[in-house]
Structures are given as C-alpha cells and as structure tokens.
Amino acid sequence: MKIFTLKQKTLLYLQTLTLSALCLTGMAQKSALPAYHPTSAEIADSYKRMELMDSLTKGTVLKATIQANWAADGQSFWYRNFLTDSLAEYIYVNTVQGKKSKAFDHEKLAAALSKASDSTFSAAKLSVHDLHFDLEKHTVVMQAKGKWYSYDTESNVAQKIEKPTFPKAKEIGWTRQVSRWQPFRADSVSPDKKTRAFVKNGNIYIGNKEGKDAKQLTYDGNPLKPYGELSWSPDGKYLVCYRITPQDERQVSIIFSSLPNTTRGEVKTRGYAQPGDEFTSYEMHVINVGTREIVKVQSEVIDFFDAPVIRWRNGDDKHFTYEKADRGHQRFRVIEVDATNGHTKNIIDEKTDTFIYQNLIYTHYQPEKHEIIWSSEKDGWRHLYLVDEQTGKIKNQITKGEWVVREIDSIDTEKREVWFRANGMNANEDPYHIHYYRIKFDGTGLVKLTDHAKAHHNLAFSPDRTYYIDTYSTMTSPPVSELRKTADGSLVTTLEQADISQYLALGFKLPEIFKAKGRDGKTDIWGIVYRPSKFDPKKKYPIIENIYAGPHDSFVPKAFRYYGEMQSIAELGFIVVQMDGMGTANRSKAFHDVCWKNIADAGFPDRIAWMKSLATKYPQVDSTKVGVYGTSAGGQNSLGALLFHPGFYDAAVSACGCHDNRVDKQWWNEQWMGYPVGKHYDEQSNVTNAAKLKGDLLLIVGEVDTNVPPESTYRVADALIKANKDFELLVVPGMGHSDGGPYGRRKKRDFFVNKLLGVTPPNRNKIALK
C-alpha cells in the first residue's frame, strides 16, 4: 500500500478540487442554454401551426399497409394502395412466379364500366371491390357501385352480371388463446338427445327430452342456494352440477346531467364488482344418472368467477378435468376428477409468491395424445411446456431462454408444431420487437420466420399458410411489406415500401428511440423522444411524459407511427417522451413483479433515471421542468407522479384516473394488488395521499365513465379541497372513459403551456369575437 506525505496529500486534494471545479464548469456550460420562452405572439403561431399540422399530416404516409385478398387456390392475391388525394391503385400478385403487376389499366376499365352501366366511372377515382381473376379466360370479376361486372382484359369490354358464387379458399385453422374469463356453457340435454335434466325450485330433475315424467335427483337445493350449471358426460352416465351460493353484484351509479330535451339529470345504475366484493360460489358435484348417487367433488369451492369448462378425457368416460385459478392470482391448477367417487388429482399445480397473470395463461388440450401445452413463467420467462394429461408430468419444456412467448398463433397437431410470436430472442435489438417462429413439441426444429430484419413484425398468412406477408418497421424506419414462403421464411418478392416523403416535407423528423439504464443501473429501459419540428438546438425545452404504467402490457409503440398527439404537443415547445419502466409486462417475470402490490411505484425510479440520462446527453432537454399526462391507469400514474415524486415532476394532467384501487374494477386490481384487500391499497391510494400534492394539477373526468367510476376522480377532488390544495377540475358532461375528447386535449395543451412555459395560451373567447 502506497503511503503519501502531507505535501502529496495536499497536492492531491488541490488537484481534486480543480477537477471538480472543471466538471462543475463543464456542467454549467452544458446547462447554460437559455430556456425556450415564447412570447404570446409566438405561442399563438405555434398553436396555429399545430392545428394546421393536425390536418395536413393526414394521408402523408403512403403504402404503409397491405390488405391481401387471396384467390381460392392460394396462388395469387390482390391488394389496393391508397395514393395521394385518396386515389387508389390495384395490384395483382402471382405468388408462384413471384411477380406483381397493375391489376388493370384504370383508364380502360373506367371507360368499359361506364359503357356497361348507367353511370360514369372516373379513372382517377376508380373504386372497385371483390376482385376475382381468371388468367386463362383473361377476365376479372368485380363489384363496383353495388353492381357486379365481368371485365375482359384483352378486349377491354365489361358487362353486367348476376352476383357470382366463388369457391372458398382452403384454410388451415388457428388455435387462439381462450380467455379464462369466458362463462361456462351448460347443456341440459343428454348426448343421445333422449333425456333432459333441469332445475326446479333449486333442485335437479331428470325426464324425457320434453322434460316430462321427471324424477327428482336432489333434495337439499332451494331457490336461495340452488343446483345449476348442468353438464353431461359424453356417454350420458354422469351429470356434473354445482350447488350455487349466489351473490348479487354490488352497484355503481352514473348521472347524465345534460341529456337533450330533459330538465333533470338521469341516473343509471349497473353491477360493478370492486376489490374485496364477494363472488357467487360453486360447489361441484357429480350425479350417477343410473344409480342417482350424488358425490361431492373433493376440491375447494370455486369462488372466483363462473363455473369452469369441463373436459372429459378422450376414451375415458369416468374422468374429466377443469381449470381453477384461485382468487388472489397466486395459484393455477388443472384438476382431474374421478366421476365415480369425486376424488381429485392436480395435473398442473402452479403457485407463486407474487402473481400469475390470469389473462395470459394458455392451455391447449390434445385429447388423442393425452397432452396439454401450457404456458408458465416458472423459470422466470413466459414459456411453453408439454404436459402429460394423465400423470401431470412435464414431458419437456418446448421453449426456453431469456425471452418471452407473447402469443400462440396456431397448434399443428399433425406435425406437432407450435406457431408463436415472441420478443427478446434476438440480441442487440429492442427486446419488445415482435418476431414470429415455429417449433416442434419436443423443443427442437426452431424456425425463425422474421429473423431477416431488426424490427417489429406483423405477419398475415395465406389461407393455407403456404405464404405470408411480413410488414415490418420501427419508429424510425417506415414499413416494408414482403411476400415470403412459410416453409423456410425465404423472400418471394418485396411488395411495398412505405413512402413518407410528403410527411418529411412538412418539416418533421421521426422520433428518436432512446434507451438508458433503469433504477438498478443494469436493466435497459426503452422509450421514444419527440421534438418540435421547429426545434432550436440553442434552447432548452421542458419535458412532458406521456405515461401509462398499467402492468397488463407494455405501451411504447414499436411499429412505425408518424404524427400523433405526442408530436402535436411537442409543436408547442416541448420534448415529449414515453417509456416503459419496471412493473410493466413483456419482459422477465422479475421485471414485471415490481408491480406486485405496488401499483404506485409505476416504474417511476426507472422513468426518472431515463429522463435524467436523456438530459445528460442532450443539453436541450430541461429535466428541471417536467410535466406528465395520462388516461385511466395513466391518470392514476400522472397524479401519482406529483404525490410521490414532487421533486422531479412539476405539472400533471390526469384523465379519468383509477385513483384508488379499491374503487376500480375487481378483476384488474386484484390481479396486481392482490387479495384480500389490505392496508397497501390504502397506502398507495391517490385519495389517501392527496394532501401531499405539490405542483400543478388538472383533473379531467367524463361524468358517465362506465370503465372507471367517476367518483374515483371526485374522491380525489374532495380530498384535495379538504387539504386546501389548489388544482383544476374539468368534468365533461355526457362523456365516458376518455382523455376529455377534443376539448380535454386542448385544455391539456393550454395547461402545460401556462405551467411549464409560463405563457398564457390564446384566449379563444376573444379570438372568436374578431
């Protein structure tokens, strides 16, 4: 270890002071840019430009999407391109030859249609539909102005025809994820259609198909606790039923204050379950129809949503399974029942200390093979597993790695393949980009259909899935649409590349994709940055964050977008940003778990670190003046920014926020905040914490919001008034769950101009008088 003399220590100390002074000088020079502070006339001009651009930017991006119309044989399709001034062109694609061409000559077709009909067709604004090509007969059948025509492409002659019948394309079905929220479908008629079971006065009776000559099977039911939800076994020997304990759903009310032709407000009331409310419960029983013996299934009462779907085992009329998600979202099971005695066995039994995301549970049953394909985050990432339906043993993990299966598109049981979408598999790429794959049930043979471009992909398959159209883009690269072969993902032909020249000619630049480290200094947080089109690099601008931190998804757009509200707000003199912090979905389980019983966190430590990194890189970004706006969960987040992080956020516009998770809908809030309702609900409530308000606040709410009860906002307003806090409140008569509509969006802009730029917005009342 080196020992320094006092003189050496003194010199080192002076050098440190000098370096610190230099660093501070550098920082001062970096932040020495003057703040953007427009005059009243300049801000009025900015509003005029913003409103003009809101209109002029429409239709300035061309050929960005393709809607393919496939022929029955799957070897060709046509699509329509919309061009400048809403003009259209029609493209025909021969997939076998890999060639595309104009479907017809517009001038010649318009002339032929005009001659064959009693109206005039314009070549420039030709609009035809339902095109069907016959290359051998060189004809095109189409619909135009509600009539059907056959057009000869060689003679250029059209003639009216009756509506033809076209062969249907051969389609390969898709297996879509089925929501576990769907109600059970009861069937009272036996499989052989000879017997009917029904409920009378709370008890089960069984009779002939007309319900006559009925005999009573149960005797302990009554109208207050009836039997119901009947389901037969495939052989008709067993009847699954439930002893039901009904719970009336508690009500919420809304008031229509300004209905036309009335002088009184109208109150509407509807059922609305909130966290902690009781559900109707179901106690499962099985009746042996022959012996009339009834056994109680040896499993817990189903007290979370409706009776489940019953699946009888293929080739076994004595065993069935059902799925059960426990209230609190911490346990999911596939339960096997022995119909002869009510004994049960857990085939799948997943437990977690945080949550199982109910809406993303995927199960696909293969009766012939007695297998279940099941999704789980048990290894820290959402992946697929192949499970033996009889033993519950996991045969193998189908997908694995530090990436996320986003959605299952199809299950091919013959080839034993899963077709799926995923994000995060590709290194050195935005981990939220969607890519498409297929893989064998045993986890081998992974085929990457979209590995050719680091972008966000959207695939549309031909009906027989021989081909697909891949439209891919990023926020900084316009869409490209390609035709590819499904077998190996090889390129057949490039169909279109979006044209954004008209948009760029208006003076706009595309948003910047920006990533920075989150709260842990390791995890990348991804976001986007919009700047004013008249951006002055010699000025610094306040930040406005567009926030939505709902744990059910991620929200920063990945596919190409051009002009929208964020750019529109930026035009007034702001740096407008959006990012996904920890606690949102589509990353690892650990990333997502941050939200567990912790909605108020909203990823703010990551968001703040991200914006500070942005300001460090760009001196034009003023992180000492920060606004935030959001709607619904974003409304809760935007007010939470002022309540829990007043040292960073200065102004917020909160629209129809779910400000107290006890007031909002049960299924969403118990998923993330847990059950039972505990003190953490109160501790994180914007209502409870309203007295902490620092900064400027505008609350917006529609008076007839049926999604988040308006009283959620009113309770915040009440608490703020009682705490003697200054704030603004906009209640929009007749409006539902919204950001306030055009008027609310205008008030939001005015609010930020006043609070962050220190300028009074244009007085529209006076302007209107001129």
Side-chain angles (χ1 to χ4, degrees), residues 553-677:
D553 208 344
S554 53
F555 306 98
V556 175
K558 301 300 173 182
F560 184 78
R561 293 185 189 179
Y562 53 113
Y563 193 85
E565 185 181 40
M566 292 177 69
Q567 183 66 63
S568 179
I569 293 174
E571 291 303 288
L572 297 176
F574 302 104
I575 305 292
V576 185
V577 301
Q578 184 181 11
M579 75 289 306
D580 284 310
M582 292 185 188
T584 52
N586 303 324
R587 298 282 286 273
S588 69
K589 181 75 166 86
F591 188 100
H592 201 184
D593 276 349
V594 170
C595 73
W596 175 238
K597 294 186 177 182
N598 191 29
I599 290 285
D601 178 272
F604 279 121
D606 312 301
R607 298 170 185 279
I608 292 170
W610 187 94
M611 284 182 268
K612 286 182 176 179
S613 294
L614 183 71
T616 298
K617 182 175 181 179
Y618 299 110
Q620 299 86 1
V621 176
D622 189 353
S623 60
T624 67
K625 288 185 179 179
V626 183
V628 58
Y629 71 91
T631 302
S632 193
Q636 178 183 14
N637 304 146
S638 53
L639 174 52
L642 294 186
L643 300 181
F644 303 115
H645 302 276
F648 185 78
Y649 292 95
D650 303 289
V653 177
S654 168
C656 63
C658 36
H659 295 290
D660 190 311
N661 297 102
R662 296 166 294 189
V663 177
D664 193 28
K665 63 194 75 63
Q666 179 279 332
W667 65 266
W668 194 90
N669 291 273
E670 284 189 12
Q671 169 71 76
W672 314 115
M673 291 292 282
Y675 175 82
V677 175

Side-chain angles (χ1 to χ4, degrees), residues 16-281:
T16 302
L17 288 178
T18 303
L19 287 171
S20 299
L22 289 172
C23 289
L24 290 171
T25 302
M27 291 174 63
Q29 289 174 347
K30 187 174 182 180
S31 62
L33 293 177
Y36 174 68
H37 186 73
T39 65
S40 296
E42 288 172 335
I43 202 66
D45 287 341
S46 294
Y47 270 94
K48 290 177 182 178
R49 172 174 170 76
M50 177 196 73
E51 292 167 359
L52 180 62
M53 291 302 107
D54 288 352
S55 175
L56 289 182
T57 52
K58 294 177 181 177
T60 56
V61 171
L62 308 175
K63 302 181 179 182
T65 59
I66 286 180
Q67 180 64 52
N69 300 273
W70 287 88
D73 61 7
Q75 296 184 358
S76 65
F77 64 91
W78 66 272
Y79 63 92
R80 175 169 44 202
N81 277 331
F82 287 102
L83 308 176
T84 305
D85 299 325
S86 298
L87 303 182
E89 65 175 0
Y90 297 83
I91 306 297
Y92 175 79
V93 180
N94 185 315
T95 59
V96 177
Q97 298 176 359
K99 294 181 180 179
K100 69 170 189 171
S101 59
K102 293 288 182 66
F104 40 72
D105 184 299
H106 280 223
E107 295 284 350
K108 292 178 179 179
L109 177 58
L113 291 174
S114 298
K115 190 174 181 179
S117 69
D118 52 3
S119 62
T120 302
F121 287 81
S122 166
K125 296 185 177 181
L126 189 63
S127 179
V128 293
H129 310 276
D130 298 318
L131 303 177
H132 297 268
F133 296 81
D134 189 330
L135 297 185
E136 291 184 0
K137 297 180 180 179
H138 46 80
T139 60
V140 185
V141 174
M142 67 191 70
Q143 186 181 182
K145 295 185 179 180
K147 304 277 177 63
W148 285 92
Y149 297 89
S150 177
Y151 173 63
D152 190 307
T153 57
E154 289 192 346
S155 65
N156 296 310
V157 174
Q159 57 180 347
K160 282 184 182 179
I161 60 173
E162 294 296 319
K163 182 180 179 179
T165 301
F166 301 104
K168 292 185 178 180
K170 178 184 177 182
E171 295 189 7
I172 296 179
W174 296 93
T175 303
R176 291 296 182 187
Q177 253 173 254
V178 177
S179 171
R180 213 137 271 98
W181 309 100
Q182 291 184 347
F184 169 73
R185 296 285 184 255
D187 188 0
S188 61
V189 180
S190 64
D192 62 7
K193 308 302 181 185
K194 294 180 179 180
T195 308
R196 180 182 297 276
F198 59 93
V199 177
K200 180 181 179 182
N201 296 324
N203 281 299
I204 300 174
Y205 292 75
I206 189 167
N208 60 25
K209 61 181 180 180
E210 288 82 21
K212 297 179 180 179
D213 301 322
K215 297 179 180 179
Q216 189 169 348
L217 297 183
T218 65
Y219 294 88
D220 56 338
N222 59 69
L224 297 179
K225 195 171 181 178
Y227 282 93
E229 304 292 3
L230 313 179
S231 175
W232 290 85
S233 63
D235 62 2
K237 292 182 179 180
Y238 296 96
L239 190 65
V240 181
C241 60
Y242 298 88
R243 187 81 186 278
I244 302 172
T245 304
Q247 288 286 345
D248 292 331
E249 194 171 41
R250 300 177 70 177
Q251 307 289 297
V252 295
S253 301
I254 56 176
I255 300 176
F256 289 80
S257 68
S258 305
L259 292 174
N261 305 315
T262 66
T263 57
R264 292 176 174 84
E266 183 176 316
V267 178
K268 290 188 180 294
T269 303
R270 69 186 188 91
Y272 189 95
Q274 294 176 330
D277 287 358
E278 291 302 314
F279 282 97
T280 293
S281 62

Side-chain angles (χ1 to χ4, degrees), residues 471-533:
T471 300
Y472 58 88
S473 65
T474 70
M475 288 294 288
T476 57
S477 56
V480 175
S481 294
E482 298 174 338
L483 178 66
R484 290 180 174 268
K485 290 183 179 179
T486 307
D488 56 7
S490 60
L491 178 67
V492 177
T493 187
T494 298
L495 298 172
E496 299 294 344
Q497 295 186 5
D499 180 359
I500 64 171
S501 58
Q502 294 183 51
Y503 177 70
L504 297 178
L506 294 173
F508 294 106
K509 291 185 178 179
L510 299 179
E512 177 185 355
I513 299 171
F514 185 77
K515 71 174 180 178
K517 299 301 179 184
R519 69 185 75 183
D520 58 4
K522 299 176 182 179
T523 306
D524 285 334
I525 303 299
W526 291 76
I528 51 175
V529 184
Y530 286 85
R531 295 172 174 82
S533 59

